[in-house]
Amino acid sequence: MPLITPDHHHVSIEREPHTDEVLARGGDARAAGILQRSAFVAVARAHDSYHRLPLALSKDEQVLHAARAAGLLTSHGYTVTTDPEFAPSRQTFAYVTLGQQVAAVAEQIDRATHTQEVAEALTELTATHDGVLDSARACLTVAAAWIEELGDAADPARADRLRQLAEYLDHVRWDLAGMRNDLAERHIVHPRRTVCPGIDNNEREASVTCSCPPTLPRPPAPPAAGPPRRTR
């Protein structure tokens, strides 16, 4: 859950003196993702939300994860204040997450002008064995087997739920694969998304204008059908 604070570009990582918990406050949805990748868990209460490190971590592990989070947040442009023990090293913690790689597929689709380009992008999601959705399904299945024998009375039910989600994800992949195949068969240029020859993709000057004719406006959507009238 994204943190809601007055300043979305500032994050504080401090040890709470009364409970000895390591808490992170501030930031936005992106900062929340960085914190979660650094072992923090989200906490949402009626009038407050923040992240904290798991209670079972040792002091050394707390310092390691908190410093890592501070370094990652700083490298992504956030202003970070920490207790001295959590100050990050000079090393820059920057990496491309799996989620960012999948988001690049969305950007590829958004720039596409031909059905073949979108079909190729969707293939990354729908491919068998190593596509995104098939790999995600494998993660859920493996996690179910791992959690099932963890020892808690509720673990078998948690494992069953993971397997249900994995099966649902498989249905999503099949449906999406059908749409991908349809786009590949059509093999046409999008009527309202064409490549612009007037400006090079690497052009950085703001004053450059496009020499292409303007794109025709999209037709208005048809009005939604109202509820059927009652007849006597």
Side-chain angles (χ1 to χ4, degrees):
M1 177 178 293
L3 299 178
I4 302 175
T5 64
D7 184 0
H8 297 305
H9 298 287
H10 175 263
V11 180
S12 66
I13 302 177
E14 300 169 333
R15 188 180 296 279
E16 215 286 327
H18 301 293
T19 63
D20 211 34
E21 295 177 330
V22 179
L23 306 183
R25 296 180 180 276
D28 53 12
R30 187 183 186 187
I34 292 172
L35 288 167
Q36 289 160 12
R37 286 182 173 87
S38 302
F40 283 78
V41 296
V43 178
R45 294 182 172 177
H47 303 290
D48 193 15
S49 60
Y50 53 88
H51 283 78
R52 66 164 173 77
L53 285 175
L55 305 177
L57 295 180
S58 67
K59 286 289 183 67
D60 289 342
E61 290 172 322
Q62 290 177 347
V63 172
L64 176 66
H65 290 301
R68 172 179 170 79
L72 281 169
L73 288 164
T74 301
S75 71
H76 282 81
Y78 293 92
T79 302
V80 184
T81 57
T82 70
D83 287 345
E85 61 177 323
F86 304 140
S89 66
R90 293 179 178 272
Q91 179 182 3
T92 301
F93 300 91
Y95 67 100
V96 178
T97 67
L98 292 176
Q100 288 172 323
Q101 294 179 55
V102 176
V105 177
E107 294 175 1
Q108 181 180 344
I109 294 173
D110 188 52
R111 295 192 302 267
T113 60
H114 195 284
T115 55
Q116 188 63 32
E117 295 175 86
V118 179
E120 291 174 357
L122 292 180
T123 300
E124 295 298 328
L125 303 180
T126 62
T128 56
H129 180 64
D130 59 357
V132 172
L133 292 174
D134 205 50
S135 298
R137 183 189 191 281
C139 289
L140 296 179
T141 302
V142 172
W146 194 90
I147 289 175
E148 191 169 32
E149 300 177 350
L150 201 54
D152 190 270
D155 288 334
R158 296 187 178 103
D160 287 342
R161 180 55 179 159
L162 282 173
R163 292 190 180 96
Q164 291 172 7
L165 293 173
E167 184 177 354
Y168 175 75
L169 204 56
D170 203 33
H171 291 305
V172 172
R173 186 180 71 82
W174 277 107
D175 286 348
L176 190 56
M179 297 180 191
R180 174 262 174 205
N181 293 339
D182 177 67
L183 287 172
E185 291 285 358
R186 295 173 72 177
H187 201 76
I188 59 173
V189 174
H190 194 292
R192 298 187 179 277
R193 292 180 182 239
T194 57
V195 177
C196 172
I199 302 177
D200 186 81
N201 289 335
N202 297 322
E203 182 60 66
R204 302 178 63 181
E205 295 296 326
S207 61
V208 174
T209 58
C210 176
S211 61
C212 298
T215 303
L216 296 176
R218 297 187 182 188
R229 294 182 179 181
R230 294 185 179 181
T231 58
R232 296 184 179 180

